[in-house]
Amino acid sequence: MISLRVKIIQTRAICLIADLILFSEPETRALRDLMNQGNPKSGIIFHSRHISHESRILVPFIFHKSSFMQNNIILQMLSDADIAVYKNITSEMQAALPLMEREYTVGTSWETIQHTISGSDLDWIYENTRAYSIILQLGTDEGSYWPSPDLISGLIEKHTNPVLKFLSLSHTLPEKTTAKTVGSSLLKHFSRLPFI
């Protein structure tokens, strides 16, 4: 029991430190301000992928070994209703892909790439605004996170219809039902870890 209390105290200290350095960069402050002022119902973040044809749609929470595709009570971070909304969004985006394109790989970071990612705008948007958020990782073929300018238009064109579908769905999204964690989503993460 003492060990668990120490872990909780350490966790709260880590969250306090993380809160102090949040938005330390101008671009993260701009994103925060935009999301807070505009009060949107959805947010989409674009990333390029290094040496991969595969494109992915990542859903919250990417810092946790949570489960999106399977119902696992211990690891489930989103409410069943919010999972259903995300499954609808991602299936509609899949359906909007051009016929010749591969399907998106969909899930949390853990489900799609077998590791977690910290410091994500995806999780912050989901946790701290009313918006459903996704990361669209665009597969690139040239071996660089930064595609050359002559390839960018073709890369974007492949994903135009799915992005337009996401935007059209945004107007009809219900309110999120996942309870907001008091303090930080990191507390939610640590509170779900099985302490042995």
Side-chain angles (χ1 to χ4, degrees):
M1 186 67 159
I2 292 173
S3 174
L4 179 58
R5 285 186 184 155
V6 169
K7 287 187 184 289
I8 290 172
I9 291 168
Q10 289 172 340
T11 300
R12 291 184 185 194
I14 290 168
C15 292
L16 178 62
I17 291 167
D19 286 343
L20 293 175
I21 58 175
L22 282 175
F23 310 109
S24 59
E25 301 299 322
E27 61 272 17
T28 58
R29 285 192 299 274
L31 175 65
R32 176 202 57 202
D33 294 347
L34 176 68
M35 294 305 293
N36 286 333
Q37 290 170 6
N39 200 23
K41 290 188 79 174
S42 63
I44 186 168
I45 300 111
F46 294 91
H47 289 188
S48 58
R49 292 209 48 228
H50 185 61
I51 314 176
S52 177
H53 298 285
E54 176 192 38
S55 293
R56 298 181 183 138
I57 299 174
L58 298 181
V59 299
F61 285 94
I62 67 174
F63 65 84
H64 186 271
K65 294 181 181 180
S66 57
S67 177
F68 171 70
M69 300 308 284
Q70 301 172 359
N71 288 339
N72 182 333
I73 300 305
I74 292 175
L75 297 179
Q76 184 173 324
M77 301 281 287
L78 303 179
S79 68
D80 289 338
D82 289 356
I83 288 173
V85 171
Y86 272 112
K87 286 184 177 182
N88 181 58
I89 289 168
T90 57
S91 66
E92 291 283 338
M93 289 179 72
Q94 293 273 25
L97 272 171
L99 292 177
M100 300 300 290
E101 294 301 318
R102 299 178 182 175
E103 289 187 9
Y104 293 116
T105 301
V106 177
T108 64
S109 175
W110 183 257
E111 290 171 313
T112 59
I113 54 180
Q114 304 304 295
H115 65 81
T116 60
I117 303 169
S118 62
S120 169
D121 39 12
L122 172 76
D123 291 346
W124 182 86
I125 291 170
Y126 181 80
E127 182 75 4
N128 294 286
T129 72
R130 70 183 199 133
Y132 287 90
S133 55
I134 64 169
I135 290 178
L136 181 55
Q137 289 187 324
L138 310 177
T140 62
D141 298 329
E142 73 170 14
S144 170
Y145 284 110
W146 307 106
S148 61
D150 58 318
L151 297 177
I152 292 175
S153 63
L155 182 61
I156 292 171
E157 186 178 347
K158 294 178 191 178
H159 303 282
T160 300
N161 286 337
V163 169
L164 291 174
K165 177 53 79 174
F166 177 78
L167 294 173
S168 71
L169 292 171
S170 296
H171 299 291
T172 61
L173 293 176
E175 293 296 319
K176 295 184 300 189
T177 61
T178 299
K180 178 161 176 21
T181 304
V182 175
S184 170
S185 58
L186 285 174
L187 288 176
K188 184 185 290 185
H189 168 59
F190 284 110
S191 71
R192 301 273 178 125
L193 287 175
F195 292 101
I196 298 173

